[in-house]
Amino acid sequence: MAEVEQLSEELTTLKRVVQTSLHRGQLAKGVHEVCKAIESKQAKFVVLADDCTEDTYKKLVVALAKQFQIPVWKVEKGALLGEWIGISKFLTKTKKIKSRKCSSVAVKDFAIEVSENEKQFVEDKIKAL
């Protein structure tokens, strides 16, 4: 039970960091932008979907991140990332019309809306990666 709560807390905090970074223009989306952010060392960390069907895509992002010493945080589903960055379409808050996946995003910087506790939680988590 505690493991489920911790996982939920991790995803909630990660979602908040990703969304606030998106709204502040501090998020790179898609393979081109993510690789560019990694190579220019602008990315603090990368979030990669485990269910990405393109193995070469995953290998490229992981290899680049490893080369430039940028942590990669993996989430189970790309649809979850798609919802977080707003590319999935909803009829209402709970009824989804179209689910679109996003395979990776790179957080360039923490937005000012992110609390110190959330920032510390994410930094501790990416150090453990």
Side-chain angles (χ1 to χ4, degrees):
M1 185 70 171
E3 190 175 303
V4 172
E5 288 176 12
Q6 182 181 0
L7 182 62
S8 177
E9 181 184 348
E10 280 182 18
L11 288 179
T12 303
T13 304
L14 181 60
K15 176 183 177 181
R16 178 158 163 68
V17 168
V18 167
Q19 287 181 333
T20 54
S21 295
L22 172 69
H23 294 296
R24 290 290 179 184
Q26 297 295 324
L27 190 74
K29 309 170 295 266
V31 69
H32 180 70
E33 286 183 27
V34 168
C35 290
K36 194 173 171 182
I38 292 171
E39 289 175 338
S40 63
K41 296 185 180 181
Q42 291 180 329
K44 294 237 184 255
F45 66 96
V46 174
V47 182
L48 180 66
D50 252 352
D51 69 343
C52 178
T53 56
E54 285 293 322
D55 283 337
T56 54
Y57 182 105
K58 286 173 29 176
K59 287 177 184 177
L60 173 67
V61 171
V62 170
L64 270 177
K66 186 175 182 179
Q67 179 182 353
F68 290 96
Q69 299 166 347
I70 295 174
V72 177
W73 189 331
K74 293 190 178 181
V75 294
E76 280 187 37
K77 300 184 184 263
L80 192 62
L81 275 178
E83 285 179 28
W84 292 354
I85 65 170
I87 60 175
S88 294
K89 299 197 187 287
F90 289 87
L91 185 58
T92 64
K93 283 190 174 191
T94 56
K95 186 173 181 184
K96 192 184 307 183
I97 295 175
K98 186 175 184 180
S99 179
R100 294 188 61 201
K101 294 181 180 182
C102 177
S103 295
S104 66
V105 296
V107 175
K108 297 179 185 177
D109 202 4
F110 293 105
I112 57 174
E113 293 88 0
V114 176
S115 71
E116 284 300 315
N117 290 341
E118 291 170 326
K119 189 185 289 188
Q120 189 62 45
F121 180 83
V122 171
E123 287 174 347
D124 289 344
K125 175 68 178 172
I126 60 177
K127 282 179 187 175
L129 296 174

